[in-house]
Amino acid sequence: MSPVAIERIPTFVEGLDPRMGGGIPKGSVILIEGSAGCMKSSLSYNILFQNALHHSRNGLYLTIEQPRKDIEDQMAALGMDKAVDKALDSRLTVIDLGELRAFLSEAQESELDVDWFRSVLNQVNSFRRDHPLDLFVLDSLNGLLALCARENPRLEIFHFIKELKSYPMTSILISEVAPGTAWSGGPQGFLADGIIHLEAKRVEDILRLQLGVVKMRKTAHEKQYFPFLVRKGGFEIVGK
Ligand SMILES: Nc1ncnc2c1ncn2[C@@H]1O[C@H](COP(=O)(O)OP(=O)(O)O)[C@@H](O)[C@H]1O
Ligand SMILES: [Mg+2]
């Protein structure tokens, strides 16, 4: 009996998709984890950008730490310039925390009262009402947690991921971990359907980036770390 074909979201990282059954299973909630500067934001944006460009998929990128213009300029410098195709304006939306704040109800004026996880879900839902949302990136889960004054953030994360999973879209949650840590503890690790780990390794005097797929449900993926390269036209992993 042949397995039922699953629709997948390609990462557009050259060499990676064929090693991952074609991409991320549609509808998953995955983590892209790594320490600062490992290109988590760039890789996540790449998935949205290329899927908008080549598969007409609508994406929403919510940035907590970096202002929207900062992200867009950084990605344009990496070859992901929204100006290359007019259609990208409506297919790829970046919003930042300032814009998310504007979305809060007046009843939640005090930031301590704000349920940030709920606000993000509300924002996502408001987008989904306007046009179908295929892909969502949260940059980052840590950033959102830092805003959260709630007593039990583990429970918040638990409900947040559960709810995202019930939406007919694919979510990428960026998660920053300490250098040398493979992946984060907490409920996100066991709740996520997949974990892609980016790591910077010092080899003599050079910092080399590596990518490994730690976990990807419904997928026979390779369990190996590969050199992760930034090329003018995009990203690439180098297989042995
Ligand atoms: N135009 C570029 N070409 C190649 N590498 C770049 C370019 N711009 C930034 N970088 C690299 O990307 C890193 C930042 O990537 P980013 O995706 O923001 O990382 P993270 O989100 O994991 O902190 C920078 O520290 C730099 O090493
Ligand atoms: Mg980042």
Side-chain angles (χ1 to χ4, degrees):
M1 198 172 71
S2 65
V4 178
I6 300 174
E7 197 180 331
R8 289 175 186 267
I9 307 293
T11 63
F12 285 89
V13 174
E14 209 181 315
L16 179 60
D17 294 320
R19 292 184 163 89
M20 220 170 68
I24 302 159
K26 197 180 156 194
S28 304
V29 175
I30 72 147
L31 304 176
I32 290 190
E33 297 206 297
S35 56
C38 280
M39 311 210 74
K40 302 178 296 299
S41 299
S42 309
L43 170 60
S44 305
Y45 192 93
N46 179 70
I47 296 172
L48 257 59
F49 184 89
Q50 304 298 348
N51 274 284
L53 195 59
H54 301 289
H55 296 297
S56 305
R57 290 190 169 115
N58 295 325
L60 173 66
Y61 191 105
L62 171 59
T63 161
I64 306 284
E65 288 113 288
Q66 255 177 300
R68 173 166 58 86
K69 185 157 186 322
D70 224 71
I71 288 278
E72 287 181 338
D73 289 351
Q74 176 183 331
M75 301 312 164
L78 277 165
M80 295 178 278
D81 190 346
K82 279 171 81 175
V84 298
D85 191 329
K86 236 178 152 298
L88 287 175
D89 265 342
S90 61
R91 285 191 202 134
L92 173 50
T93 307
V94 181
I95 58 168
D96 62 26
L97 184 63
E99 287 152 303
L100 179 64
R101 277 207 173 98
F103 193 77
L104 297 176
S105 74
E106 285 177 17
Q108 296 179 320
E109 259 173 16
S110 159
E111 287 200 353
L112 285 177
D113 293 337
V114 175
D115 180 344
W116 288 100
F117 285 96
R118 178 45 54 197
S119 300
V120 167
L121 292 170
N122 288 349
Q123 178 76 82
V124 166
N125 279 316
S126 134
F127 260 82
R128 290 170 64 225
R129 267 194 298 277
D130 294 338
H131 55 275
L133 199 51
D134 302 297
L135 292 163
F136 168 62
V137 170
L138 172 65
D139 187 0
S140 64
L141 194 58
N142 312 64
L144 196 60
L145 265 176
L147 293 170
C148 206
R150 304 276 155 153
E151 268 173 27
N152 195 345
R154 285 176 70 92
L155 200 61
E156 305 262 327
I157 294 176
F158 186 87
H159 290 302
F160 179 68
I161 293 180
K162 280 272 187 202
E163 185 151 343
L164 281 179
K165 278 193 188 187
S166 73
Y167 298 171
M169 61 176 200
T170 306
S171 300
I172 297 168
L173 309 179
I174 294 178
S175 162
E176 193 152 313
V177 296
T181 317
W183 47 89
S184 62
Q188 61 268 41
F190 62 80
L191 278 176
D193 298 303
I195 301 177
I196 295 176
H197 181 216
L198 289 165
E199 188 175 40
K201 273 231 156 110
R202 180 175 165 175
V203 182
E204 293 179 347
D205 280 342
I206 301 169
L207 217 45
R208 294 191 195 278
L209 289 180
Q210 291 198 326
L211 180 150
V213 180
V214 174
K215 164 181 179 181
M216 195 60 67
R217 285 177 179 150
K218 304 178 190 167
T219 305
H221 59 89
E222 290 193 21
K223 293 168 190 74
Q224 189 192 327
Y225 279 78
F226 298 98
F228 179 74
L229 305 179
V230 184
R231 297 255 185 258
K232 193 95 191 100
F235 302 105
E236 186 186 348
I237 60 166
V238 184
K240 297 250 161 63

